[in-house]
């Protein structure tokens, strides 16, 4: 039995995911699920294969043996993952061969297919030309499986949460007046790795007016003494589960207006976390945060959804957003991250990852929520 470098994630775990995926493929009325490199392939096999112009695809038929179609020169790197032990047949091909025909071999003349969301058009289009209709998204088949985390996945997310908390705990080492956002971000990226991640997936250092742009990364702006600074950071820990946590910092006790808005934000985040439990809808958690900010006259300042699922992808289902009436279930993991954004002036956000438990939720980030004064 091989592993992917983590004793919790054995080939047995992956083999059972593949067989459940085959069952779900059959249940959904597809002839096969076609999965390219990316989070779905990693979830099903542990493989870290990359997407190239040459087709790599795991084909899981509704019945029969799953196979992975891969260029012969990519076989060694594929074999380095768990794929060889999962009862998956390896069908290699050489340049000049029709890899798409190989992928769809045995599925009938015009199969009904679902393809993984991350597969590029370069591969989806030739696959679609050989199938009975526009392929569906694999999410339709894999949503349930990937959304409900098992205990090993929750353990990995817990480790990721603790690792990013350690980075936030050290923020005073790097976040100082007179340095640029870029300099601070470089130090944070190093710390994300030294505290246990395999890489820094994203680093947001939004100082002063840049904090009002939720997806600002970092710039050459020099940080000043009266800035409020949004730090939103994360990355994967083995075997690929991500952290994602935001704290907002300042260098002095904030003025009345900033203090008031921040207090409302803190209460909104708290109320949203308190609303999480099995059986409530995703949108009700969004509403819990939004209601508090509306009550404080800040409805207009909260310009994005309250959260997103997290796992092998930083952003995945379930999305915590108005209109999503999916019921939360034990094992779902997602962010709760309301923010307030004052265009051209400042912004603030508080973000924790939570996992739904049998009677509420467990927060995986435990740093203090207050506007941290450095
Ligand atoms: Zn985002
Ligand atoms: Zn974040
Ligand atoms: Zn997030």
């Amino acid at each position: 039995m091989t592993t992917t470098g983590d004793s919790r994630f054995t080939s047995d775990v992956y083999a059972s995911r593949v067989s459940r995926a085959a069952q779900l493929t059959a249940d959904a009325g597809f002839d096969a699920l076609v999965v390219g490199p990316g989070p779905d392939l990693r979830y099903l096999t542990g493989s870290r294969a990359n997407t190239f112009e040459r087709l790599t695809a795991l084909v899981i038929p509704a019945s029969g043996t799953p196979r992975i179609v891969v260029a012969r020169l990519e076989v060694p790197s594929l074999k380095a993952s768990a794929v060889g032990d999962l009862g998956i047949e390896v069908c290699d091909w050489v340049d000049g061969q029709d890899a798409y025909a190989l992928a769809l071999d045995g599925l009938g003349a015009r199969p009904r297919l679902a393809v993984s969301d991350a597969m590029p058009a370069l591969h989806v289009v030739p696959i679609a030309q050989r199938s009975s209709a526009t392929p569906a998204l694999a999410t339709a088949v894999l949503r349930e499986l990937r959304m409900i985390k098992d205990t090993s996945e929750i353990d990995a997310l817990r480790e990721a949460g603790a690792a990013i908390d350690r980075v936030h705990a050290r923020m005073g080492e790097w976040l100082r007046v007179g340095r640029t956002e870029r300099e601070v971000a470089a130090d944070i990226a190093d710390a994300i790795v030294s505290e246990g991640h395999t890489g820094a997936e994203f680093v947001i250092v939004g100082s002063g007016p840049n904090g009002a742009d939720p997806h600002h990364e970092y710039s050459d702006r020099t940080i000043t003494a009266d800035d409020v600074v949004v730090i939103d950071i994360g990355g994967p820990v083995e075997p690929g589960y991500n952290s994602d946590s935001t704290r907002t910092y300042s260098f002095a006790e904030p003025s009345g207006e900033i203090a008031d808005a921040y207090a409302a934000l803190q209460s909104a985040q708290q109320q949203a976390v308190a609303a999480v439990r099995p059986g409530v809808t995703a949108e009700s958690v969004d509403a819990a945060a939004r209601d508090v900010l509306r009550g404080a006259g800040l409805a207009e300042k909260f310009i994005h959804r309250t959260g997103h699922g997290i796992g092998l992808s930083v952003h995945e289902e379930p999305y915590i957003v108005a209109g999503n009436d999916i019921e939360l279930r034990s094992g779902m993991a997602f962010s709760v991250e309301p923010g307030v954004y004052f265009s051209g002036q400042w912004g603030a956000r508080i973000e924790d990852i939570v996992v739904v438990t049998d009677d509420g939720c467990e927060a995986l980030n435990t740093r203090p929520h207050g506007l941290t004064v450095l």
Side-chain angles (χ1 to χ4, degrees), residues 202 232 244-246 337 351:
F202 56 93
D232 185 353
D244 183 4
S245 178
T246 310
E337 53 175 310
E351 174 179 26

Side-chain angles (χ1 to χ4, degrees), residues 1-350:
M1 188 160 62
T2 61
T3 72
T4 53
D6 187 316
S7 58
R8 295 167 304 192
F9 293 82
T10 62
S11 53
D12 293 349
V13 168
Y14 292 108
S16 91
R17 288 176 183 177
V18 170
S19 71
R20 286 180 70 194
Q23 187 57 53
L24 292 168
T25 300
D27 291 350
F30 296 108
D31 294 309
L33 181 65
V34 182
V35 178
D40 287 337
L41 187 66
R42 194 158 186 175
Y43 178 81
L44 291 166
T45 69
S47 169
R48 290 135 205 253
N50 290 311
T51 291
F52 299 108
E53 77 285 8
R54 294 184 176 95
L55 179 71
T56 297
L58 168 66
V59 181
I60 302 179
S63 66
T65 307
R67 63 175 170 277
I68 191 147
V69 172
V70 57
R72 191 164 297 164
L73 77 171
E74 302 292 345
V75 171
S77 68
L78 191 71
K79 283 260 169 79
S81 71
V83 169
D85 284 26
L86 304 183
I88 296 172
E89 182 191 351
V90 176
C91 300
D92 62 342
W93 58 279
V94 293
D95 291 341
Q97 248 184 304
D98 183 349
Y100 305 102
L102 196 60
L104 303 186
D105 185 41
L107 296 175
R110 290 265 162 195
R112 288 155 300 168
L113 303 172
V115 300
S116 54
D117 304 16
M119 188 175 273
L122 178 70
H123 298 311
V124 173
V125 170
I127 287 169
Q129 285 165 344
R130 290 164 169 83
S131 54
S132 68
T134 307
L137 290 176
T139 298
V141 175
L142 296 176
R143 181 187 285 118
E144 289 291 299
L145 210 49
R146 285 199 47 198
M147 231 171 15
I148 310 294
K149 270 68 182 178
D150 67 26
T151 55
S152 300
E153 294 181 283
I154 293 168
D155 276 351
L157 285 168
R158 207 179 268 129
E159 280 165 23
I164 209 67
D165 281 359
R166 290 194 295 274
V167 179
H168 273 297
R170 294 175 55 194
M171 200 53 64
E173 294 177 32
W174 319 298
L175 181 54
R176 288 197 299 271
V177 173
R179 303 192 78 204
T180 67
E181 292 176 353
R182 187 181 305 278
E183 288 166 342
V184 174
D187 289 339
I188 292 172
D190 289 345
I192 287 174
V193 173
S194 66
E195 293 295 349
H197 298 81
T198 53
E201 186 75 16
F202 56 93
V203 177
I204 293 176
V205 180
S207 66
N210 291 338
D213 170 8
H215 272 179
H216 171 79
E217 290 183 47
Y218 47 80
S219 73
D220 292 314
R221 184 180 184 277
T222 299
I223 295 164
T224 68
D226 39 56
D227 283 345
V228 171
V229 187
V230 177
I231 307 279
D232 185 353
I233 51 180
V237 302
E238 283 301 295
Y241 288 82
N242 286 283
S243 64
D244 183 4
S245 178
T246 310
R247 290 295 182 267
T248 302
Y249 298 86
S250 72
F251 301 96
E253 283 299 342
S255 74
E257 207 178 24
I258 292 175
D260 290 350
Y262 193 85
L265 174 65
Q266 203 177 329
S267 160
Q269 204 268 350
Q270 221 163 46
Q271 291 303 310
V273 170
V276 176
R277 61 181 174 278
V280 306
T281 62
E283 64 182 351
S284 73
V285 175
D286 181 82
R290 218 163 285 282
D291 287 350
V292 174
L293 290 171
R294 187 178 300 111
L298 296 169
E300 241 73 304
K301 305 299 181 193
F302 179 22
I303 55 175
H304 55 71
R305 66 190 175 212
T306 292
H308 54 83
I310 191 165
L312 291 169
S313 305
V314 177
H315 289 177
E316 60 182 46
E317 301 211 36
Y319 291 98
I320 309 303
V321 61
N324 187 4
D325 61 2
I326 190 172
E327 282 189 11
L328 302 183
R329 281 154 59 193
S330 182
M332 287 181 175
F334 51 83
S335 69
V336 177
E337 53 175 310
V340 289
Y341 306 97
F342 295 80
S343 185
Q345 301 173 57
W346 68 287
R349 180 163 64 255
I350 304 169

